[in-house]
Amino acid sequence: MPYKVLQPGEASGICEDCCALAVMAKAPRPGKVKTRLSPPLTPDQASALNICFIRDTTENIQHVAEASNSAALVAYTPVGDESAFDGLLPTGFQLLAQRGDGFGERLLYACEDLFACGFSAVCLIDSDSPTMPQDALLQAVERLSRAGDRMVLGASDDGGYYLIGMKRLHHRVFEQIDWSTERVFEQTLERAREIGLTTELLPTWYDVDDASTLERLRRELAAPSGVGYDAKHTRAYLRSLQIAQPSFSASGAC
């Protein structure tokens, strides 16, 4: 099922005065995604797991979009690989191509392009946190609907963040950041302080990007606490991998 690909400056046509909830995602191709999970997973298994992450994250966002004044999108890379998302996303999702050289530029330009599409607020969300609490997303939309300029930020416990949301584009919060390090969250807060931008924090969560966080995810899904999102696609795939065993033999997809 193909999805509409928005062009920068093109009206989304989804809702008036609403918040964009955009997942930052790579096309799920073996050897191109979740490479730090190989090993213990094979590249095919890591790609299949990434597909599950995308499915669970976008279904989570769909529920939020249905319950709030927000719209659901995937900001994807690389350009030309749109077909990799066919059939993965819920009905109503739109695609927006990422642009820029580094991660900071891609975040900045995704915000810029979404504001140019007419959204009143923008949240950029990672695709590595399939059990991200739905309440955190709802909080982000609600806080960005309030009067006054502000940023919302959801910290990851590895020092990064799983969500950043703004009502206006502020270039400074993406500048002089040591991307992919444990300093990202604190440096982003410091940039916001430098320009006097009010920041509201969401609950801390975690990314899944190595063997230890994969095990943490497996344990969370095996005994749900009720706090995180019920990532059913990811749970089913991890069970098929017999993740508790020292070797991984399954290679199917979710």
Side-chain angles (χ1 to χ4, degrees), residues 212-235:
S212 64
T213 49
L214 182 61
E215 173 61 13
R216 177 177 176 178
L217 176 67
R218 184 197 69 80
R219 291 179 180 277
E220 179 190 0
L221 291 174
S225 65
V227 177
Y229 180 70
D230 182 22
K232 62 182 181 182
H233 299 291
T234 300
R235 178 191 294 108

Side-chain angles (χ1 to χ4, degrees), residues 1-34:
M1 174 175 55
Y3 303 92
K4 179 180 179 181
V5 180
L6 280 178
Q7 301 301 319
E10 177 185 2
S12 68
I14 294 179
C15 55
E16 294 285 337
D17 193 33
C18 72
C19 178
L21 299 175
V23 183
M24 302 289 291
K26 292 181 181 179
R29 303 294 191 189
K32 301 296 184 181
V33 293
K34 309 309 297 173

Side-chain angles (χ1 to χ4, degrees), residues 25-248:
K26 292 181 181 179
R29 303 294 191 189
K32 301 296 184 181
V33 293
K34 309 309 297 173
T35 55
R36 291 177 61 192
L37 291 177
S38 299
L41 305 181
T42 68
D44 284 342
Q45 290 168 348
S47 177
L49 183 63
N50 183 246
I51 287 172
C52 296
F53 284 9
I54 291 172
R55 284 180 166 164
D56 285 319
T57 300
T58 56
E59 287 180 11
N60 190 1
I61 287 172
Q62 182 188 39
H63 296 316
V64 173
E66 291 171 349
S68 64
N69 192 29
S70 56
L73 304 99
V74 168
Y76 71 94
T77 187
V79 174
D81 230 353
E82 299 83 6
S83 63
F85 296 94
D86 288 355
L88 296 186
L89 313 178
T91 301
F93 263 73
Q94 297 188 101
L95 298 175
L96 177 78
Q98 293 183 28
R99 57 189 181 96
D101 294 328
F103 189 57
E105 280 194 5
R106 293 197 297 272
L107 291 171
L108 170 64
Y109 290 140
C111 280
E112 182 176 271
D113 291 345
L114 288 166
F115 280 121
C117 289
F119 292 103
S120 62
V122 170
C123 288
L124 302 181
I125 302 158
D126 79 20
S127 58
D128 299 328
S129 305
T131 60
M132 179 191 319
Q134 191 169 106
D135 186 59
L137 297 171
L138 289 166
Q139 285 183 46
V141 174
E142 191 279 326
R143 293 179 186 186
L144 291 171
S145 71
R146 299 174 186 173
D149 195 18
R150 59 174 47 81
M151 177 174 73
V152 295
L153 202 60
S156 298
D157 59 11
D158 62 359
Y161 55 75
Y162 63 86
L163 181 151
I164 184 169
M166 289 183 287
K167 298 182 67 173
R168 291 173 47 205
L169 182 60
H170 293 280
H171 291 70
R172 185 59 180 152
V173 299
F174 302 112
E175 296 173 345
Q176 294 180 289
I177 305 293
D178 297 322
W179 299 107
S180 301
T181 74
E182 72 282 357
R183 297 182 291 278
V184 170
F185 177 76
E186 287 301 330
Q187 288 177 339
T188 302
L189 287 180
E190 178 60 29
R191 302 295 167 268
R193 285 192 288 266
E194 289 173 2
I195 60 175
L197 179 61
T198 297
T199 303
E200 299 192 20
L201 301 183
L202 302 173
T204 299
W205 207 244
Y206 68 101
D207 298 336
V208 179
D209 53 18
D210 57 21
S212 64
T213 49
L214 182 61
E215 173 61 13
R216 177 177 176 178
L217 176 67
R218 184 197 69 80
R219 291 179 180 277
E220 179 190 0
L221 291 174
S225 65
V227 177
Y229 180 70
D230 182 22
K232 62 182 181 182
H233 299 291
T234 300
R235 178 191 294 108
Y237 188 61
L238 291 181
R239 284 177 176 169
S240 80
L241 289 176
Q242 299 179 328
I243 197 77
Q245 302 303 316
S247 62
F248 298 81

